[in-house]
Amino acid sequence: MDKPRVDELTGRETMGHEFDGIEELNTPMPRWWLWTFYATIIWGIGYTIAYPAWPMISGATAGLLGYSTRAEVAAQIDAHEAANAGLTGALLTQDMAAFDPQTDLHRYAVARGGAVFRAQCSQCHGAGAAGATGYPNLLDNDWLWGGTLEQIAYSIRHGIRNETDNDAHWTEMPAFGEILEPEEIAAIAEFIPTLPVSGGEGSGATLFADNCASCHGEDGTGDREQGAPNLADAIWLYGGDYDSLVETITYSRFGVMPAWGQRLSEADVRAVAAYVHGLGGGE
């Protein structure tokens, strides 16, 4: 094996390879860098011994110091709850119909509810609560089951059309594709945009009166007791164009909302209701 060539200018050996006439010198790392590197290795080994680090089958090594980020967060949460115990207790006993927006309690509820909304509700209703197709806009004044503080809290607590809470709001629109002919569905879809009307004429009006008015009302303004939406305004959960109306009438809709009372504390449910109500769409 040939010995590496010695560079005439620096007096150092080369690495023995060449790129486009350029040779690399065999220059050792500075001692200070090497000692720093060795120190970081020692520190890293010590850290994995002292703190949770190595993944095991059912968890990670606990570390000699027994430190836990989960325990630290839990302690911070407990401290926060203790500091706000008085306001939380008042929130639980507050008559929601008599909530005063000018009080510290209401401000606390809105701040707490906003945090819960962003963590639990924004995935469906959007960060700004404007909703999306199939997910209600919470900023307008169109509420299927009412928009008072108490009604909003009830909807959050028990949810809509879920199978986990016996008190959930429940209403189901028939799939008229199994009841009516396609041309009859088309006639209704053409008639609905003409609402509100009284004594409308034509096959669409007759079919609407026979099949839809019992829930949505003769004038199409809906019925909150049944959760039947208002068809006479410009607010549509699944779209108000002809094709969307035909699809809705044919196959119906069946949106589901979880019963958040099974996942959140009662204080959080009330706080979210206060936050949503304060967005401007609540009644």
Side-chain angles (χ1 to χ4, degrees), residues 8 11 37 58-59 127 154 156 172 176 186 188 194 201 205 212 222 240 262-263 276:
E8 296 178 358
F37 178 65
S58 59
Y154 186 96
I156 296 169
E172 185 172 358
F176 282 98
I188 295 175
T194 69
E201 299 179 353
C212 315
Q262 299 172 356
R263 310 183 187 192
V276 170

Side-chain angles (χ1 to χ4, degrees), residues 185-201:
I185 292 174
I188 295 175
E190 291 175 350
F191 170 75
I192 287 175
T194 69
L195 293 168
V197 297
S198 178
E201 299 179 353

Side-chain angles (χ1 to χ4, degrees), residues 14 63 66 104 114 134 149 151 174 183 249 261 271:
T14 65
D104 288 340
L149 264 169
Q151 290 167 332
E183 57 271 18
I249 298 167

Side-chain angles (χ1 to χ4, degrees), residues 206-218:
T206 302
L207 288 164
F208 182 90
D210 292 343
N211 296 278
C212 315
S214 58
C215 292
H216 294 285
E218 294 182 1

Side-chain angles (χ1 to χ4, degrees), residues 149-160:
L149 264 169
E150 292 174 316
Q151 290 167 332
I152 294 172
Y154 186 96
S155 295
I156 296 169
R157 187 180 300 113
H158 300 292
I160 298 169

Side-chain angles (χ1 to χ4, degrees), residues 135-182:
Y135 301 98
N137 181 351
L138 306 180
L139 304 177
D140 59 32
N141 199 31
D142 204 40
W143 296 87
L144 285 181
W145 280 280
T148 67
L149 264 169
E150 292 174 316
Q151 290 167 332
I152 294 172
Y154 186 96
S155 295
I156 296 169
R157 187 180 300 113
H158 300 292
I160 298 169
R161 302 186 193 94
N162 60 69
E163 298 181 352
T164 62
D165 191 313
N166 293 330
D167 293 319
H169 288 305
W170 193 282
T171 185
E172 185 172 358
M173 174 181 169
F176 282 98
E178 302 173 359
I179 303 171
L180 302 176
E181 297 298 324

Side-chain angles (χ1 to χ4, degrees), residues 13 29 36 46 61 65 79 105 111 113 143 146 158 160 170-171 185 205 218 226 245 252 278:
E13 290 184 345
M29 298 297 295
T36 301
T61 54
L65 297 181
L105 176 59
W143 296 87
H158 300 292
I160 298 169
W170 193 282
T171 185
I185 292 174
E218 294 182 1
Q226 301 182 66
L245 290 174
S252 83

